[in-house]
Amino acid sequence: MNKVSARPQSTTELRVEAARDQLPIIRAVARTLAHRRGFLLTEIADITRAVDEVGAALIDAATLGSPLRCSFEVSGSAFLLTTAVTSHRGLPRYPGARWRSLEALTDRVLTTDLLGESSGEHEVVVAFIKQRRGRR
């Protein structure tokens, strides 16, 4: 469902197979939305790299056959990406270099690891916020 418009806030939802060959699609959507809302090229590059980090982490954690669900919300000067997968492993307890990189690229990173519907399943959610600093 795509709700991109000229309104002050827009949300776009995307659901793809949790596979690395789907990352270019997610990057393209993120890049397009950020560009349309006036983010600088350096900010768009940060968003794109952050999408790669989040996507790779969730794809690694995803249960076979679980879709990767993405929600992009651009409101005012903020770009919010929320991603989720079903996992039997969940996210690592002590995030390493991937998370430090993600924190450096964005303004805020949020993670949630909830119990899933089936025994041993987790609903893993990772979100990040990137603020627009300047105007083009």
Side-chain angles (χ1 to χ4, degrees):
M1 170 186 265
N2 187 344
K3 300 178 187 175
V4 177
S5 69
R7 294 176 305 177
Q9 176 178 332
S10 64
T11 301
T12 301
E13 295 179 357
L14 178 66
R15 182 180 172 126
V16 297
E17 178 185 358
R20 288 191 187 263
D21 65 350
Q22 300 298 306
L23 284 175
I25 296 167
I26 302 166
R27 279 195 307 265
V29 171
R31 189 172 28 252
T32 300
L33 292 172
H35 179 351
R36 288 179 69 184
R37 293 308 294 255
F39 281 77
L40 298 173
L41 291 177
T42 54
E43 295 165 340
I44 294 170
D46 288 349
I47 289 168
T48 303
R49 288 179 34 216
V51 165
D52 280 341
E53 295 295 340
V54 169
L58 289 182
I59 288 166
D60 289 347
T63 301
L64 186 62
S66 171
L68 175 59
R69 299 173 306 281
C70 305
S71 175
F72 306 84
E73 187 172 319
V74 186
S75 178
S77 64
F79 181 101
L80 169 64
L81 172 66
T82 304
T83 55
V85 294
T86 300
S87 173
H88 286 295
R89 299 179 318 165
L91 286 174
R93 272 195 126 143
Y94 301 101
R98 176 175 281 158
W99 299 106
R100 285 190 292 279
S101 174
L102 184 58
E103 288 172 341
L105 293 167
T106 63
D107 294 296
R108 180 100 192 223
V109 178
L110 309 161
T111 61
T112 305
D113 191 347
L114 305 168
L115 291 178
E117 294 178 15
S118 300
S119 177
E121 279 188 348
H122 299 260
E123 184 69 15
V124 178
V125 180
V126 177
F128 72 77
I129 298 170
K130 178 70 175 179
Q131 293 287 329
R132 186 178 62 220
R133 301 287 183 233
R135 289 292 232 181
R136 285 190 295 166

